[in-house]
Amino acid sequence: MTSSLPPEIFKAYDIRGIVDKTLTPAFVQTIGQALGTLAFERQCHTIAVGRDGRLSGPALSKALIDGIRASGINVIDLGQVATPMTYFAARQLNTGCSVMITGSHNPPEYNGLKMVIAGETLSGETIQALRERIERNDLRTATAPGSLTTHDIAPAYIDRIVGDIKLHRPLRIVVDAGNGIAGAFAPTLYERLGCQVTPIFCDVDGTFPNHHPDPSQPKNLKALIARVQQENAELGLAFDGDGDRLGVVTRDGNMIFPDRQLMLFAADMLKRVPGATVIFDIKSTRLLNPWIQKHGGVPLMWKTGHSLIKAKMKEVGAQLAGEMSGHTFFGERWYGFDDGLYAGARLLEILSQHADASAVLNALPDSLSTPELAIACAREGDQHALIARLQKEANFPAAQEIIRIDGVRVEYDDGFGLARASNTTPTVVLRFEADNDAALQRIQRDFREQLRVVAGDGIELPF
């Protein structure tokens, strides 16, 4: 059974697959035993385990726990929690290890594992080494199984945030969890901070009956925008399925993309930690670089992926990082992991210092840009093959610079275009930004031509 684990579920920064097809309870039990073995080798004794609100969560959680315990490692079952709460538990409960069963923002039939062992968020080669360990059956089987206890981490988590965040005045907000697990905690947290909260779609439902819990897609924010205006609220906060990503809308219906949110967080943090490094991912606006420098920080562009960003933060000692997808990582005053609920609290703290929260958000530097666009590929892995060809063969003669750390980002004097392979679904992700519409059209035309060169005229493009 172990030799038949599908290699494609072992992705760049997590394990992710389709439940009962590429990700079965039997597979997850084996992965649990492998994680327990790794924890034992790293001299850890206990792993905290959580799950989001997906329907497959209970069965996969039981399988994971059984596998971990078989290796002799103890388990603290956190139950249904947001992903950042498992990271917090690893700190609070001194385990150094946590595993979250989550499909994040993927469709309901997906689920997966986000893994921290001995303080390291597993990614890249470490995840592949885990797969190789399973293939050679290098799994510890203890003479007696590890213990199993349960723990409600929510009170300590919420208390920690409420103890850190101080609002200058209460705000009226709307919270949309998209029926993801954040709905069980976000309204309570923001009410504790003193906000007047109107919750929508905050009942946890793994079928996601109202809209998909992915705040990076404008279509998923329509109901939130309407409710903010209906309630005359000051802003709206939206979360993904596992609560580690934040979406923000203003009272006039503007979506504040996460790279612009990062501007506000950076300016605030740099007042207290001048000269600090701020990391942003390859998908982010080119306006971040001059903004961070202007506010006395050191900008650093890096690869997309929560575990890759966290590893880079540790390497360079960054105090703040953010991804275009909505992951924001606070080192200053927090623990360096991505946390949508905490990011929302930090945002409210900053905005509470102003009379008009939406005006502050709307005043952030902006440029003409697209949301994340996607090219669907026929099979898992096809997206990486297409990007590899684009990196090798594409020709952009008008480019000022071509950055290949993660896909192909082509910088022009008046904008940029990006194509990169998704590490979670078989898609190629694209994003474009420019000073004006003519430049945006020109950059998109360049990419259209080069994508057709490497993939053929039959490729279906979303732009």
Side-chain angles (χ1 to χ4, degrees):
M1 189 275 295
T2 56
S3 62
S4 62
L5 245 73
E8 67 269 18
I9 69 173
F10 294 85
K11 299 184 182 296
Y13 37 85
D14 54 25
I15 292 172
R16 195 81 58 90
I18 299 172
V19 176
D20 293 331
K21 290 185 179 178
T22 57
L23 193 73
T24 67
F27 289 168
V28 171
Q29 183 168 339
T30 303
I31 292 166
Q33 193 170 355
L35 287 167
T37 305
L38 180 61
F40 178 81
E41 290 174 357
R42 294 187 178 186
Q43 299 182 314
C44 295
H45 309 291
T46 306
I47 299 178
V49 172
R51 57 183 166 87
D52 67 12
R54 287 171 186 259
L55 302 183
S56 57
L60 295 183
S61 178
K62 181 183 183 305
L64 176 71
I65 289 169
D66 287 349
I68 293 170
R69 294 181 66 203
S71 71
I73 296 296
N74 304 324
V75 173
I76 301 173
D77 184 1
L78 305 172
Q80 276 196 347
V81 290
T83 290
M85 294 167 72
T86 65
Y87 301 148
F88 177 78
R91 300 259 186 170
Q92 181 76 6
L93 304 178
N94 297 313
T95 68
C97 303
S98 67
V99 182
M100 176 70 179
I101 298 170
T102 175
S104 187
H105 63 284
N106 287 104
E109 64 271 20
Y110 280 79
N111 216 326
L113 291 85
K114 294 180 177 178
M115 304 157 288
V116 178
I117 301 295
E120 178 194 354
T121 300
L122 304 192
S123 65
E125 293 178 0
T126 316
I127 289 179
Q128 293 309 314
L130 194 73
R131 174 184 59 80
E132 291 162 4
R133 174 190 294 278
I134 292 168
E135 287 176 347
R136 65 177 184 266
N137 203 30
D138 180 14
L139 305 174
R140 183 173 190 263
T141 301
T143 53
S147 66
L148 173 61
T149 56
T150 60
H151 185 83
D152 180 5
I153 197 65
Y157 173 77
I158 291 173
D159 285 349
R160 171 69 175 82
I161 297 176
V162 171
D164 178 66
I165 302 292
K166 301 302 175 192
L167 268 57
H168 292 247
R169 64 178 182 85
L171 288 92
R172 296 185 314 281
I173 65 173
V174 180
V175 170
D176 180 355
N179 300 108
I181 192 63
F185 307 102
T188 301
L189 169 62
Y190 300 133
E191 285 170 356
R192 285 275 308 275
L193 288 172
C195 291
Q196 181 181 325
V197 181
T198 299
I200 61 172
F201 313 142
C202 283
D203 52 317
V204 180
D205 184 341
T207 67
F208 310 126
N210 294 289
H211 64 74
H212 199 60
D214 182 356
S216 69
Q217 296 299 319
K219 65 183 179 182
N220 296 326
L221 299 174
K222 288 180 180 178
L224 177 60
I225 290 169
R227 195 60 180 271
V228 165
Q229 294 171 343
Q230 180 185 331
E231 299 287 337
N232 194 30
E234 297 186 70
L235 76 158
L237 303 181
F239 299 94
D240 69 339
D242 65 330
D244 58 8
R245 298 194 297 138
L246 174 69
V248 178
V249 300
T250 65
R251 68 185 342 155
D252 44 2
N254 289 331
M255 179 178 175
I256 306 300
F257 283 118
D259 49 359
R260 292 179 74 208
Q261 297 171 31
L262 188 63
M263 293 178 180
L264 204 59
F265 293 137
D268 175 66
M269 179 274 292
L270 288 166
K271 291 175 187 174
R272 295 182 294 276
V273 194
T277 297
V278 179
I279 299 173
F280 51 93
D281 80 327
I282 192 99
K283 292 187 284 187
S284 298
T285 175
R286 64 201 182 99
L287 301 178
L288 264 168
N289 201 307
W291 173 273
I292 292 165
Q293 290 180 327
K294 173 187 169 185
H295 287 85
V298 179
L300 177 62
M301 183 186 292
W302 193 239
K303 303 173 183 178
T304 291
H306 70 96
S307 53
L308 307 179
I309 293 279
K310 278 178 269 200
K312 196 67 175 177
M313 284 184 79
K314 282 185 180 179
E315 179 190 329
V316 303
Q319 292 296 307
L320 177 69
E323 291 186 285
M324 183 63 204
S325 60
H327 294 270
T328 306
F329 312 75
F330 294 90
E332 185 244 0
R333 294 169 56 186
W334 200 236
Y335 302 101
F337 55 72
D338 41 335
D339 187 338
L341 283 82
Y342 180 74
R346 286 280 283 254
L347 180 69
L348 293 170
E349 182 180 64
I350 296 167
L351 295 177
S352 72
Q353 300 172 43
H354 304 272
D356 189 338
S358 286
V360 174
L361 293 168
N362 289 331
L364 293 167
D366 201 8
S367 141
L368 190 63
S369 65
T370 68
E372 292 182 30
L373 307 171
I375 301 170
C377 296
R379 295 176 305 277
E380 180 63 50
D382 287 358
Q383 75 272 30
H384 297 287
L386 193 155
I387 291 299
R389 287 197 63 192
L390 192 68
Q391 286 179 323
K392 186 177 180 181
E393 301 174 25
N395 181 30
F396 294 92
Q400 280 192 328
E401 181 183 10
I402 299 178
I403 301 167
R404 293 183 174 87
I405 57 171
D406 183 3
V408 176
R409 175 165 167 148
V410 183
E411 298 277 354
Y412 300 85
D413 60 2
D414 54 1
F416 81 87
L418 169 73
R420 63 174 292 275
S422 168
N423 285 309
T424 55
T425 56
T427 56
V428 169
V429 177
L430 305 128
R431 185 156 192 251
F432 302 96
E433 179 180 282
D435 291 343
N436 53 63
D437 188 63
L440 191 70
Q441 296 298 327
R442 190 194 75 247
I443 294 168
Q444 288 185 325
R445 186 173 63 248
D446 284 359
F447 270 76
R448 203 176 290 120
E449 289 172 356
Q450 293 307 308
L451 283 165
R452 285 177 175 149
V453 165
V454 300
D457 291 336
I459 187 172
E460 290 189 22
L461 300 176
F463 63 97

